[in-house]
Amino acid sequence: MSLVLDTTAQDLLFREARTANAFTDEPVTEAQVQAIYDLVKFGPTAFNQTPLRVTLVRSPEARERLVAHMAEGNQAKTAAAPLVAILSADNEFHEELPQLLPHFPQAKDMFFGERPVREQSALLNAALQAAYFIVGVRAAGLAAGPMTGLDFAGLQKEFLDDDHTPLMVVNIGKPAEDASPFPRSPRLAYEDVVTTV
């Protein structure tokens, strides 16, 4: 195999990792979430922008408010997960660009002065960061259950503001024995995806 990452790490992050629908009741600590972020913040984005925002839903009252916006099939597992994170895109990410891109501070106004351009870029790059976040959760020995079955407008009104676009809700924790009740679904083969020109 041509990968530098050892087989155990490959399995942990990809081959054996599954979307979890059920978790043990072991809590997810603030230190674990900090370690996850401190790893995944190094993932590449355009112009080093960092539009992903993570809202941790820890209090019972906030969890109840969140569950009300989830699709019926996602409510019970969201209510029971040790930790739930709302991932969103900050459409005003450009304000941080002079700090994050010190060699090219004019990128803030040159490329991102118009709101529609920012929204498109924030959505793409925050989604990329969300993928890194899920892999980071796996790297911490936890499982993630990302979901988009929810009332996005209601979630935004309840937890965010007009400058933040919700992307997904992610349940996080140690996977239960029956965390993934179905066999792994097929994936496309290399030759079905990769074209050489």
Side-chain angles (χ1 to χ4, degrees):
M1 188 160 299
S2 301
L3 300 176
V4 174
L5 201 62
D6 70 56
T7 303
T8 302
Q10 293 171 36
D11 289 343
L12 176 71
L13 298 178
F14 297 101
R15 288 194 201 94
E16 294 179 7
R18 298 289 306 279
T19 294
N21 291 305
F23 301 89
T24 69
D25 58 3
E26 183 178 328
V28 177
T29 68
E30 196 68 30
Q32 286 174 301
V33 178
Q34 176 89 46
I36 290 165
Y37 178 74
D38 285 342
L39 177 65
V40 303
K41 70 183 179 184
F42 294 110
T45 57
F47 293 94
N48 201 36
Q49 63 183 272
T50 308
L52 181 70
R53 297 295 177 265
V54 180
T55 303
L56 301 177
V57 182
R58 289 200 181 272
S59 74
E61 179 270 334
R63 183 73 63 96
E64 189 175 319
R65 288 168 38 220
L66 173 60
V67 167
H69 296 288
M70 301 304 295
E72 186 177 343
N74 291 332
Q75 289 181 344
K77 56 189 173 184
T78 302
L83 179 62
V84 183
I86 300 168
L87 304 188
S88 63
D90 182 358
N91 295 306
E92 298 299 313
F93 71 88
H94 68 308
E95 296 294 344
E96 296 155 344
L97 281 182
Q99 168 195 345
L100 297 174
L101 203 65
H103 63 279
F104 188 26
Q106 59 271 37
K108 173 191 169 192
D109 298 315
M110 184 180 295
F111 294 104
F112 302 108
E114 297 179 13
R115 176 72 180 231
V117 173
R118 286 200 306 275
E119 288 178 353
Q120 183 178 16
S121 189
L123 190 62
L124 174 64
N125 286 279
L128 186 60
Q129 288 186 284
Y132 301 143
F133 182 83
I134 291 166
V135 173
V137 168
R138 293 172 173 182
L142 302 170
M147 299 168 292
T148 56
L150 56 105
D151 171 13
F152 281 92
L155 179 77
Q156 182 174 22
K157 184 175 180 183
E158 188 80 41
F159 289 96
L160 305 170
D161 58 33
D162 290 340
D163 287 333
H164 294 80
T165 303
L167 300 172
M168 67 185 71
V169 169
V170 183
N171 293 334
I172 303 168
K174 285 277 188 189
E177 294 261 341
D178 58 349
S180 301
F182 305 105
R184 183 185 289 284
S185 297
R187 300 297 196 266
L188 293 175
Y190 177 88
E191 55 273 11
D192 295 326
V193 174
V194 178
T195 302
T196 302
V197 295

